[in-house]
Amino acid sequence: MLIIGEKLSIIAKRVREAMMKKDKGPIQEIATRQWKEGSGVIDANIGPAEDGGEDLMQWMVTTIQEVVPLPVCLDTTNASAIEAGLKVHNNQWGRPLINSTSNDPERFPILELGAKYKAYVIGLTVGKGGLPADAGERAAIAADIMARAMEYGVPLEDLYLDPLVLQIATSQDHALKVIEAVKMFQEMNDPPMKTVVGLSNISNGCPKHVRPILNKYYFLMLMNAGLTSAIADAHEMAEAMSEKKLLDDVLAGKTIDNPAKMTEITKTLDVIMGKTLYAHSYLEM
Amino acid sequence: MAFTPAKETYSGKVYSVAIGTGEGTGTVGGENVLPFHSFEGAAPNRPVIAFEIQDVPPADWPESVKKPFEAVSDDPVKWARFCQDELKAKAIALRLVGTHPDRENRSAEDAAKTVKDVLAAVNVPLIILGSNHAEKDAPVLVAASEAAKDKNCVIGKAQEANYKTIAAAAMANNHKIIAMSELDINLSKQLNILITQMGFEKERLITDPMCSALGYGLEYTYSVMERIRLAALTQNDATMQPPMLGDIGMYVWKVKETQAPEADLPHWGSLEERGIAWEAVTATALLVAGAELLIMRHPKAVEEVQKTIEELI
């Protein structure tokens, strides 16, 4: 399981301020921590970055790789910022990852960059016309992206399919559809296609204390479905791994030693699998 | 071979909620089947339709729905009696719209007096509604709850912003409450949880997932209601088992189709018939989605919906 450390995102206030001031300290501190906690790639999410995106991405890539011997995931919709980042990326630590192409024609040029710089590319299974309705629609879009990747010269082994995790608080039925899509994606090629998710979106909008619980058990469910990698908090995922046996026992219908944990896992699984309707207080019911 | 209809069995049941006191008592909910699926189980109570009346004259209602009440709508007591005695209302919904700060801004005390007067005049169950101004509704509905103490009324609407005050007052004075959220099933469940966590019994709740009129988002209300009912029946989700309210009239009688004159839109046909049909169709759709309690305005629309209920039951 490859963890792509998610913490360096422009959405976080501290990171955004550091990006604006080009203050290396917080960026390197967070990157180092993610690396120590088990990330294999560091995500650098600079947002749409319409102005000065090229400079910012180069600064991010070099700032991260100065202290962390890992590849970087270049996360922006600005293709020229991605290319700028790819030019300075130190491939000694591994090949870079691009986040992302999709079935939207505006995102096709990303594949050219992937081929040119031999980068891994994330293919988000959405088109121009809104969100996919179910696993089948995600797979159909995945097939389009795969065909296009080959056409542009990106080998299928270098493509990560992303089924698009949605918020459980508003789109509960998609939690299971995404798990199903991860299974379907793997069957679309031999060797199986690689998969990735933006994990923490599952708990976006949920109360703060509920978020790590949903993140962890959803991650383990995806892992059981064969997920290859996740953009996630490495610390949280390490914790998840330490609870994997508990979750598998609950799934197998066994009673585990820790009743509080058993309840927490059972209720969370019920919500993920759509057996109970999500509410912010679901753990208290 | 004889035809045997396929039958579903459900694990859950909608709470049976009694409203009102004495001879006029009514009951909503209580079924363990989807709407009008009585062949699959028990549906002991017909949906209840409450006539809407107001504490102030209905200046903002369109002419065609003002007309049936023109002799009585200057006084909520006369209006209530008319609904009970002439229209044979099974319940009355008194909307204290005059308390809204942008309307007559009537005080909580004035509202309480209206509640008392109306309660003294009728014996059918009373639903007491605020003006849907979350801040003002809190003191108004507290005063109304006290004025109606032990009359087993339905007080509403408790929303995320004011549920604590309203639920506490309803609890202290033995009423039911309407919990309203805005077209979001997960928030609807959350509000029911929050209210019950205060010690308010879930068997005393009525869920309002928020209404909308035909052509103006009815499909959203329909879908949320349908999913709430399925969660109640198929997942046995106790937080989703209160009966549901469709507050039809106030949404229907402000849309263009119930107001645009024939002179402007002759191809739309008779304005009066159009309005009645609009209200009846909206109401029928929500009954099919799972509503057990409706608040409506036009007597002819109510009559049509009653007929439909009798045919479907």
Side-chain angles (χ1 to χ4, degrees), chain A residues 39-90:
Chain A
S39 298
V41 178
I42 304 294
D43 191 64
N45 180 350
I46 62 166
E50 276 153 17
D51 292 324
E54 294 83 356
D55 278 355
L56 181 57
M57 189 56 99
Q58 289 200 329
W59 180 79
M60 284 295 285
V61 171
T62 50
T63 300
I64 293 166
Q65 290 193 319
E66 246 174 50
V67 292
V68 171
L70 293 177
V72 175
C73 175
L74 310 165
D75 191 349
T76 173
T77 46
N78 179 345
S80 73
I82 287 177
E83 177 151 30
L86 290 169
K87 280 182 182 159
V88 298
H89 189 272
N90 183 354

Side-chain angles (χ1 to χ4, degrees), chain B residues 31-54:
Chain B
E31 71 274 17
N32 63 359
V33 290
L34 287 173
F36 306 109
H37 280 224
S38 46
F39 58 93
E40 290 178 332
N45 302 298
R46 281 169 164 66
V48 170
I49 304 176
F51 271 94
E52 176 175 345
I53 68 169
Q54 297 192 346

Side-chain angles (χ1 to χ4, degrees), chain A residues 1-4 41 97 122 160-161 163 182 194-199 219 222 226-232:
Chain A
M1 174 67 66
L2 173 67
I3 300 297
I4 303 165
V41 178
L97 193 61
I122 293 175
Y160 282 80
L161 293 172
V182 164
K194 295 188 174 82
T195 51
V196 65
V197 292
L199 184 78
F219 172 74
L222 286 162
L227 184 74
T228 327
S229 63
I231 303 173

Side-chain angles (χ1 to χ4, degrees), chain A:
Chain A
M1 174 67 66
L2 173 67
I3 300 297
I4 303 165
E6 70 175 354
K7 290 280 164 176
L8 289 178
S9 165
I10 195 155
I11 296 166
K13 187 163 172 269
R14 183 163 171 243
V15 173
R16 182 170 60 245
E17 282 171 5
M19 281 183 189
M20 295 305 120
K21 286 190 289 194
K22 296 276 167 77
D23 178 4
K24 287 183 176 180
I27 305 289
Q28 293 185 330
E29 184 206 316
I30 294 167
T32 305
R33 200 173 63 232
Q34 292 273 299
W35 166 45
K36 295 271 163 70
E37 286 168 346
S39 298
V41 178
I42 304 294
D43 191 64
N45 180 350
I46 62 166
E50 276 153 17
D51 292 324
E54 294 83 356
D55 278 355
L56 181 57
M57 189 56 99
Q58 289 200 329
W59 180 79
M60 284 295 285
V61 171
T62 50
T63 300
I64 293 166
Q65 290 193 319
E66 246 174 50
V67 292
V68 171
L70 293 177
V72 175
C73 175
L74 310 165
D75 191 349
T76 173
T77 46
N78 179 345
S80 73
I82 287 177
E83 177 151 30
L86 290 169
K87 280 182 182 159
V88 298
H89 189 272
N90 183 354
N91 289 11
Q92 185 192 344
W93 309 128
R95 287 156 61 195
L97 193 61
I98 305 174
N99 192 4
S100 59
T101 188
S102 74
N103 221 13
D104 178 349
E106 280 178 25
R107 308 291 279 270
F108 295 174
I110 298 290
L111 286 169
E112 269 170 44
L113 295 176
K116 185 172 165 194
Y117 292 89
K118 300 213 176 332
Y120 293 103
V121 179
I122 293 175
L124 189 62
T125 57
V126 295
K128 222 178 163 50
L131 300 173
D134 54 23
E137 220 169 272
R138 285 173 165 91
I141 297 173
D144 286 347
I145 295 175
M146 287 163 66
R148 196 168 306 108
M150 289 191 285
E151 188 186 309
Y152 279 81
V154 174
L156 291 182
E157 295 79 37
D158 291 352
L159 185 64
Y160 282 80
L161 293 172
D162 181 343
L164 184 66
V165 170
L166 297 173
Q167 302 177 18
I168 203 159
T170 54
S171 311
Q172 189 179 355
D173 54 332
H174 279 273
L176 209 51
K177 290 172 180 174
V178 162
I179 293 175
E180 210 181 309
V182 164
K183 289 184 195 156
M184 288 171 85
F185 289 170
Q186 295 167 74
E187 286 169 16
M188 294 174 75
N189 193 40
D190 189 14
M193 290 300 294
K194 295 188 174 82
T195 51
V196 65
V197 292
L199 184 78
S200 55
N201 200 37
I202 191 73
S203 64
N204 203 353
C206 302
K208 221 173 161 189
H209 69 282
V210 175
R211 295 201 61 177
I213 297 167
L214 274 166
N215 292 348
K216 281 189 301 184
Y217 301 136
Y218 193 50
F219 172 74
L220 293 175
M221 294 289 286
L222 286 162
M223 202 176 152
N224 284 343
L227 184 74
T228 327
S229 63
I231 303 173
D233 177 353
H235 174 71
E236 228 167 66
M237 295 311 106
E239 231 176 70
M241 292 306 294
S242 73
E243 293 184 28
K244 183 161 191 312
K245 189 175 177 315
L246 298 179
L247 178 116
D248 287 342
D249 281 351
V250 172
L251 279 172
K254 293 184 198 157
T255 305
I256 58 174
D257 245 357
N258 180 341
K261 192 51 89 181
M262 170 106 191
T263 311
E264 187 177 282
I265 294 175
T266 308
K267 285 181 176 175
T268 304
L269 287 179
D270 281 351
V271 163
I272 291 171
M273 299 202 276
K275 290 184 191 163
T276 50
L277 193 60
Y278 174 83
H280 293 327
S281 300
Y282 79 89
L283 287 170
E284 295 154 45
M285 294 312 292

Side-chain angles (χ1 to χ4, degrees), chain B residues 270-290:
Chain B
S270 155
L271 173 59
E272 192 184 356
E273 273 178 47
R274 201 196 307 146
I276 292 167
W278 219 264
E279 188 173 28
V281 168
T282 302
T284 307
L286 294 187
L287 285 178
V288 173

